[in-house]
Amino acid sequence: MLKSDIKSAWRNLWKNRAYSFLNIFGLALGITCAGLIFLWGESELTFDHFNSKKNELYQLKVNAPFNESVFTMESTPRPLAAAIKADIPGIANTARYSDGDQKLLFSFDNTSVYATGRYTDASLFSMFTFTFLQGNASNPFPQLYSLVITKHTAKKFFGTEENAVGRTLRIDNKQNYVITGVVEDMPENSSLQFEWLAPYDITMEKRSENIDEWDSYGPFTYVELDKNANFAVVNNQLRHYIKQKAPAEKSETFLFPMEKWRLYDAFANGKPTGGGRIAQVRMLSMIAWIILLIACINFMNLATAQSEKRAKEVGVRKVLGSGKKRLLAQFTGEAFMMATVAAIFSVLFMYISLPAFNTIMQKNLVLNILNPNHLIFLITVTGICGLVAGSYPSIYLSSFDPLAVLKGAKIKTHGAALVRKGLVATQFAISIIFTISTIVVYAQIQHVKNRPLGFNKSSLIEINPQHNVSAIFPIIKQDLLHTGLIENAALAGHVTLYGGDTDDRFRWANKPEDQKIPVAQRHISPEFISTSGMKILEGRDFGGNTLAERANVVINKSMADLMGEESAVGKIIQSPRGNPDGIFTDMTIIGVVSNFVYGNIYGQADPMILFCKEPEFQSFIYARIKNGANIGQAVSTIETVMKKNNPNYPLDVRFVDDQFDQLFKNEALTGQVSTVFAVLAILISCLGLFGLSAYIAERKTKEIGIRKVLGASITGIVSLLSIGFLKLVGIACLIAFPCAGWIMHNWLQSYSYRIHIGWWMFLVAGIVAFLIAMITISFQSMKAAMADPAKSLRNE
């Protein structure tokens, strides 16, 4: 653009500032949406990239045959890491990493603090990238009971990270550990997240079984390959390695590269599906571009709507020698100028909205406009917006016939009007699809939340005593019941909502010998079934005497169905648990409980056996608060009782219904994001609709004045101005309904327990679209309908 063109562009922007504001605001919202998703996608796509050896690091995955299918898991045999490093050329290093966060109590200077971490081999510190602030990176664990903590953990313990090395902590009031290193906090986009690390050999000392057996699974195993190693050769040697060491084992192993850990971790029947978190990245990225497209559509609509106002300008410029290319450049330049202003505002909007966005996405994203990646993205998106938004208006405006325009002939705008109508319908179709999607996601979440769980999660509290309280549990239970606020209390070996141990060696009558059926098991105290609110379908519950019930079990309905149509009560199950290989114990079924949901909340309940075992098998206390009791008072009372009977361990208590809600984090995130995008799409669409209705009302000023003089009512005039737009919303509904139905039907297929998409969802979305469109249009329509006709006609 020439200098004169730039001045002319600014004059046009200011002269039509109302329309310019709508355009700029709409584009700014679109760029803001795209920018926020870019920040989130950047953190996902660069996961673990800070590791200097990221191209040489792999995790060993195990494919295990499981009931006629193959299950891919991260847990590996304990001897595997050391063995493959010694036996397979090309493997530079290996490290074991415990398979779950360990929450331990750290005591020092009369202070007790909980912190979570993992047990690992010292080799981990040379494989992954750690920044040591204190200690020796080459010798992080100089003794067995060593401890490496993060900077955040040091501040959590001591108020400062300085002089932490050498200090002694007592863990779980049992064993002293010495801090031998302090590392910088791990980046948010790191697969390794911990507050402390301790030697993996400590876990070996704690285990009673033979840790050298190849059927003893536990840790994750990380592998570093030599830079010149042939991946395919090493991977092929690893495939049957477990079978070579233990012929009875049928599991196979393979290397899974670090670059795929975060985004491509979905497997089906032992094969990668190519999906995982990458599907969410693709979905949100696509939606962000769609929102941006809606904003560009707004621009095109409003720009072409004002074409008649600029017709004479185009005619004069052409007569004075401006060619079509020059005019194209001018109008496109105006679009780029508006996109640039919108981009500046979008940066402000991003800074304002980023805290809320971080809360929704559970991230700590930071916008740095000086970051080359962020700056390049902003410039690129601005350029795309200017090009897309300005393309059609520029071509359309530069095509006017100068002679016809200057003679005052009416410009034929039927083609442009048809395009505008199509774009408005497209905008609202997309908005309606987002609205329907939001309704379906919300309904699916509520459907699963309200499904019969098989137990009563309401007012059920889980207490983690952090150590074995079997000897004092009767006292704890008695004290809790005496408060008058607690209905019952029990012990359990597993968290109720999550999976327990699984074994496929159980035997029962009529079970095919060659068929392996995984059966879950839980160890509970006699009070657990009644405390949790499980329903006995047949037979009886465990009695109060644990020793008398040692040979008895209670099963769920799924297990009973496997055993035949007749009653399962009185039948025998042979259990391999706690026995040497080849020896089974006969257990008598005394009762059947309804299936209760655990593990996969969307799936059906797997077969399960409940054992009434001695208290040392239980790790958690469950307490049910009485109906009508004050929740806060009950929790305070539990804290008092636990402090009295378990004084060395701070209270760790959770509500089971809160744990249940946490299982919906991904779905809740999808629902929140869908809602935000639906609101944005509708808002941007309404901006364009508001501008177009104002333009139509302005064009029909004389017609409205004549109609009013001839006796037309305000209602009739409002209908005249609104009916065309409402027809477009109706067309948008016809387009959106089948598209949204197809999209959400496919989304629901990933859930085995799911809703059916009801007609009412489409009706609600359609009504919402019509109401929003009517409200948007009505302001300009009423304003035009109530104008003084004499003034309108005189002005004309």
Side-chain angles (χ1 to χ4, degrees), residues 718-784:
V718 170
S719 299
L720 171 70
L721 296 174
S722 304
I723 194 68
F725 290 111
L726 294 181
K727 285 180 179 178
L728 294 179
V729 175
I731 294 171
C733 288
L734 295 178
I735 297 171
F737 288 171
C739 292
W742 179 77
I743 292 169
M744 297 316 296
H745 172 77
N746 289 337
W747 179 75
L748 287 170
Q749 296 313 300
S750 59
Y751 302 102
S752 57
Y753 188 82
R754 58 181 178 266
I755 62 168
H756 295 288
I757 301 175
W759 61 266
W760 65 269
M761 299 177 180
F762 300 96
L763 179 63
V764 169
I767 291 174
V768 169
F770 273 100
L771 287 176
I772 290 174
M774 193 65 208
I775 292 170
T776 304
I777 299 165
S778 61
F779 176 80
Q780 294 293 348
S781 300
M782 290 294 293
K783 181 181 176 182

Side-chain angles (χ1 to χ4, degrees), residues 128-180:
F128 289 77
T129 298
F130 295 87
T131 301
F132 269 78
L133 304 177
Q134 299 175 49
N136 186 355
S138 60
N139 187 23
F141 298 143
Q143 59 192 55
L144 180 61
Y145 291 101
S146 299
L147 201 66
V148 173
I149 62 176
T150 65
K151 178 181 178 180
H152 168 79
T153 310
K155 290 182 176 179
K156 178 178 176 178
F157 288 167
F158 314 117
T160 176
E161 75 273 19
E162 297 178 359
N163 302 319
V165 170
R167 301 186 70 164
T168 300
L169 303 174
R170 192 163 185 80
I171 294 184
D172 283 345
N173 297 312
K174 298 174 184 176
Q175 178 67 49
N176 288 333
Y177 283 62
V178 177
I179 298 175
T180 55

Side-chain angles (χ1 to χ4, degrees), residues 25 27-40 42 288 292 339-359 364-370 373-382 385 680:
F25 187 63
L27 282 177
L29 289 178
I31 296 172
T32 299
C33 177
L36 292 175
I37 295 301
F38 169 78
L39 292 177
W40 175 78
E42 181 186 40
L292 200 59
T340 301
V341 175
I344 294 171
F345 278 105
S346 73
V347 173
L348 176 63
F349 292 165
M350 276 189 270
Y351 275 114
I352 293 172
S353 59
L354 196 54
F357 184 75
N358 279 332
T359 300
N364 291 304
L365 305 174
V366 177
L367 172 64
N368 180 7
I369 198 62
L370 299 179
N373 291 337
H374 297 181
L375 190 59
I376 290 172
F377 171 81
L378 189 63
I379 293 172
T380 302
V381 169
T382 303
C385 286
L680 273 176

Side-chain angles (χ1 to χ4, degrees), residues 436-456:
I436 295 171
S437 301
T438 301
I439 294 171
V440 172
V441 171
Y442 176 80
Q444 170 65 9
I445 293 174
Q446 296 305 119
H447 177 66
V448 179
K449 281 187 174 182
N450 296 327
R451 74 178 293 188
L453 298 179
F455 66 95
N456 183 7

Side-chain angles (χ1 to χ4, degrees), residues 224-242:
E224 176 190 347
L225 295 186
D226 288 325
K227 287 188 176 182
N228 299 322
N230 186 309
F231 168 81
V233 171
V234 175
N235 202 36
N236 189 55
Q237 289 180 287
L238 283 166
R239 182 179 177 185
H240 300 293
Y241 190 83
I242 295 178

